[in-house]
Structure formats: structure tokens, C-alpha cells
Amino acid sequence: FAHGFQLQLAAYDLLLEHLASWGYVVVSTDYPGSLFSIDHNDVAKALTATRAAMAAGSIAGLPKVGKTAAAGHSLGGKGALMAALSDASFVAVLGFDPVDGIPGNPLGGTPDAAHPQLAPTETAKLAIPVGYFGATQSHCGSQACAPTGLDAAALFAATPASIPRYLWTAFDVGHMQFLDNPSCGFTCSVCAAAASAIRSSGAGQKLASADQRRASSMSDATSAASGSITRHASSYRPASASSRARRMSFSGVIRQAF
């Protein structure tokens, strides 16, 4: 899992721990960049490096993982798409309010090699299952934090209909409300919160139900993240307290930079 622009690895623990409680192993990864200089390709590279480390079994406490998927929020969601486009080893993508173009710059800018626009040309090349969560009510001044034409809905529309694709719209939810604390400081204050707060359980249940529907094609060791979300169990029903506790002893959230 890749975090959003100028956000922290630990900002998504509640969401990622909930996903882990469904039988996934979640690895949250960092990437280089600053407020004034960031190459979006580095987000994809961090996700690919994490996938490779998982496949090699080189992350302490984790087994080797043969199949992984990429996930992320905002710029991290865009980076997850870029990772899947550049690394055929990923088997799925999950984006939480991904932003195409140049997310993080409310003044916009012209796409270039370091800040590419994926839709419609690059997204047309996607060939694996893709799921998008989209927020609808978040603005930085007069501009949406995920502007129309660069948001989850636009990316979904530009994703080939020939592959499994999903769009879950979170109405009256803000861009930063996928974080544990939508009021996390200056970075979070840039995107105003909406009236409703999203709960990690909704995201986990959507992922579980979508993955259950795709079980035949995504098979029994799927992961999602930059880190990852790897499925080690075939059951997607809510776990009992005791079985969840046993699973969480293995399926915790690991934060690691690559």
C-alpha cells in the first residue's frame, strides 16, 4: 500500500489493519519526494520493490508471496496503477480516491514524464482486475482535491470494460477521510472534510466481497499493496473474535521503506 502525497506511513493503520483482519497481510511502503519535488514513477518503483521483496521472502516475519496486487490512496492510488502497468507480476489494483495528473499540486500543471496522466491512454492498457473507491465531497479552496476528469470515476471510465473493474463511490466523504485521522495537520487541512466519515469496515467488506467474486481468477494467495494485501485464507466471512486474533498475529500491518 502506498500513502498519499505528503502523508505518513502510519496514517492508514486502522484501514489497513481492518483489511488484514480479513486474512490479508498488509505492507505499507514509503517513497522519496518532497513538497516541491516528487517523481510519480518513484511511487510505482516502491510498490514494485515491495512486491519483489515479498516474492523473495526477504521481509522479516513474512513468507514468500507468489501473487501480489498494488494499492494506495490519492497519489499512492495513481502509483498503484503505474506499478501494475509497468510490472506484469501484479495481479490486481485497488485505489482509494486515486488522483490522475499531478495530485498534490492544487494549482495543477502540465503532465510530463515524472508526472504522467494515465487516462485514457495508459489505463486502456490495464489487463488485471481493478477496484476504485471514490470520495465526492472534498475541496482545496474552490478546486476538488480529486478534480472531475482526474478522479476515480474518470479512471474507472477509462479502464477497459473487458476486464473486471469496480467503482465504489463514497458519497459525502472527503479525500482525507480514508485516513485514520482526517484532521492530521496541515496536509489534511488542505482538503476539507465532508459531513460523513468513512469507516475502514466498509472498505474491508467491499474488498472482501469483490475478491470473493473474483476468487476463480485471483486464486488463493492474492495480495494488494505496495506493500501488499495478501490473501492466505479462502473464507471471506467475518471472522470470529478468536480466529481473527489468531489471524492478526500473522496478518498485521508492516511498514517498510524500499
Side-chain angles (χ1 to χ4, degrees), residues 56-128:
S58 59
I59 299 179
L62 295 187
K64 290 184 178 181
V65 177
K67 294 183 180 180
T68 59
H73 168 244
S74 192
L75 174 57
K78 176 189 176 182
L81 290 166
M82 293 174 66
L85 286 165
S86 62
D87 183 352
S89 294
F90 285 107
V91 300
V93 180
L94 185 65
F96 293 88
D97 212 27
V99 185
D100 201 1
I102 309 183
N105 182 357
L107 300 179
T110 303
D112 54 29
H115 316 91
Q117 185 162 327
L118 303 183
T121 304
E122 295 304 309
T123 48
K125 301 174 184 176
L126 289 165
I128 56 176

Side-chain angles (χ1 to χ4, degrees), residues 48-256:
T48 295
T50 306
R51 181 205 59 73
M54 295 180 72
S58 59
I59 299 179
L62 295 187
K64 290 184 178 181
V65 177
K67 294 183 180 180
T68 59
H73 168 244
S74 192
L75 174 57
K78 176 189 176 182
L81 290 166
M82 293 174 66
L85 286 165
S86 62
D87 183 352
S89 294
F90 285 107
V91 300
V93 180
L94 185 65
F96 293 88
D97 212 27
V99 185
D100 201 1
I102 309 183
N105 182 357
L107 300 179
T110 303
D112 54 29
H115 316 91
Q117 185 162 327
L118 303 183
T121 304
E122 295 304 309
T123 48
K125 301 174 184 176
L126 289 165
I128 56 176
V130 184
Y132 302 98
F133 283 90
T136 61
Q137 303 292 325
S138 191
H139 290 77
C140 175
S142 62
Q143 174 162 323
C145 291
T148 301
L150 300 174
D151 58 1
L155 288 164
F156 171 79
T159 299
S162 58
I163 64 173
R165 57 177 186 159
Y166 306 92
L167 175 63
W168 301 290
T169 301
F171 292 99
D172 202 25
V173 167
H175 185 66
M176 293 300 187
Q177 287 175 285
F178 291 95
L179 280 69
D180 297 351
N181 177 14
S183 303
C184 66
F186 174 75
T187 303
C188 288
S189 71
V190 171
C191 289
S196 301
I198 194 166
R199 285 293 164 263
S200 59
S201 58
Q205 289 164 2
K206 288 291 188 183
L207 176 62
S209 63
D211 204 28
Q212 197 169 34
R213 289 195 298 272
R214 298 308 311 160
S216 60
S217 64
M218 295 173 72
S219 94
D220 60 356
T222 304
S223 82
S226 77
S228 62
I229 297 171
T230 304
R231 185 178 77 206
H232 289 281
S234 59
S235 172
Y236 287 89
R237 282 174 245 154
S240 65
S242 59
S243 65
R244 173 174 170 172
R246 288 197 301 273
R247 237 196 266 161
M248 285 295 290
S249 66
F250 177 79
S251 303
V253 176
I254 293 176
R255 304 188 206 114
Q256 188 157 344

